[in-house]
Amino acid sequence: MSDDKLTFALNTSTPQSEPDTSLTGEALQRENVIIIGSGPAGLTAALYTARANLNPLVFAGHELGGQVSLTHEIENYPGFPDGLSGQELVERMKSQAERFGARIKMFSAVTEVDFSGGPPFTLKTDDGQAYEAEAVIVTVGATSRHLNVPGEKELTGNGVSYCATCDGFFFRDKQVVVVGGGDSAIEEALFLTKFASRVDVVHRRDELRAGQTLQKRAFANDKMHFIWDTVVDTIQGDQAVESVLLRNVKSGDMTEYKTDGVFIFIGHDPNSDLFKGQLERDEFGYVVTDSQMRTNIEGVFAAGEIQDRIFRQVATSVGQGTAAAMSCERWLAARE
Ligand code: NAP
């Protein structure tokens, strides 16, 4: 067994009714379907597997909803014409899944998995409990890279954002700074020009990483401006963002620059380290799935931002969670 996998061994031949403590030294809880993660993909997979009578157990992680719960208003999720907060949306998704019998374990994170030789697959949570599952749906999402500069954390949600689609609307006729020079930064900066009066792209080099088509569109847009060879050193403001301290990386010169918002797009990292060496991942670390949300391990499915580096929307994650749950149900039924 490699270092990446569980260090506790399991006797899978023990009858289902008796918890196996022979090899692990700890009680082993047997489950049908385990869902790791409680974002839109995970909670939707929970709803669908619960309605299929699969009695799913969800490990919510340390924050119900993950990234989406940090979004103060979601206006592009169909069915909610007046918008709602990310937190309210995930609470609604949670209660809908629970209504059909999904069990959601709050503040509980999976720390180890072993998909080798399964099913059943084995998992361990941060409270030391071990589980066995006939099928697993992985929905642990991705994390926006942070600048890790003073003011960033304090002003997140009050002018600092990692999602133009979510927050752009609040910057109508305002001035914003976009940090980054890749496809995401330029695409999101262009999106922000629909609302903001001026968008300044702050990039650490003197040429963009973004593709040529995006670059052409960006340079042709009157609202877009570029501050080259520069990084954001500090984000300033009392209640909300008021300015940034910019540092020219060539001259070292520092400048205070007034702005209403700072949008940071310096990449995302899928939260896939837990599955390293077990689930196939692409060059960026995203879990590879087929169109039915199947991973390289039969019986292990993945949905949402852990496997989607293109769309990254609540609506697409919900769709992928649905597909993963339906594939899971079909796979379990075929084994009976
Ligand atoms: P990315 O391509 O890795 O670009 C990240 C950008 O942020 C780079 O310009 C990088 O600068 C800058 N950066 C990184 N760390 C920084 C730091 N600490 N401080 C300041 N700047 C920093 O990430 P992405 O734009 O999110 O794209 C990820 C992948 O998705 C890429 O393969 C991209 O092509 C793809 N994508 C495609 C589309 C599309 O096709 N429409 C849209 C979005 C994303 P350097 O350039 O100096 O490294």
Side-chain angles (χ1 to χ4, degrees), residues 147 181-184 187 203-205 209 265-267 284 309:
L147 287 171
D183 282 331
S184 296
E187 204 167 68
H203 185 36
R204 64 184 178 183
R205 292 186 294 133
R209 176 179 293 279
F265 303 108
I266 58 170
F284 305 106
R309 74 179 179 91

Side-chain angles (χ1 to χ4, degrees), residues 238-313:
D238 273 341
Q239 305 295 318
V241 169
E242 290 165 20
S243 66
V244 283
L245 269 187
L246 299 178
R247 177 168 53 86
N248 184 297
V249 293
K250 289 190 171 156
S251 65
D253 289 349
M254 300 285 279
T255 318
E256 184 175 2
Y257 193 78
K258 298 258 178 241
T259 187
D260 300 305
V262 182
F263 284 80
I264 300 164
F265 303 108
I266 58 170
H268 277 85
D269 295 312
N271 303 320
S272 65
D273 285 354
L274 182 62
F275 312 105
K276 194 176 164 193
Q278 303 197 62
L279 295 184
E280 186 188 341
R281 303 188 300 169
D282 70 12
E283 59 192 300
F284 305 106
Y286 290 85
V287 170
V288 175
T289 56
D290 65 9
S291 60
Q292 295 178 50
M293 304 295 133
R294 298 180 293 203
T295 69
N296 59 309
I297 305 278
E298 268 193 47
V300 179
F301 305 82
E305 294 186 18
I306 186 70
Q307 55 82 57
D308 169 22
R309 74 179 179 91
I310 308 285
F311 299 113
R312 309 184 49 259
Q313 299 295 302

Side-chain angles (χ1 to χ4, degrees), residues 37-48:
S38 63
L43 293 174
T44 306
L47 170 66
Y48 272 74

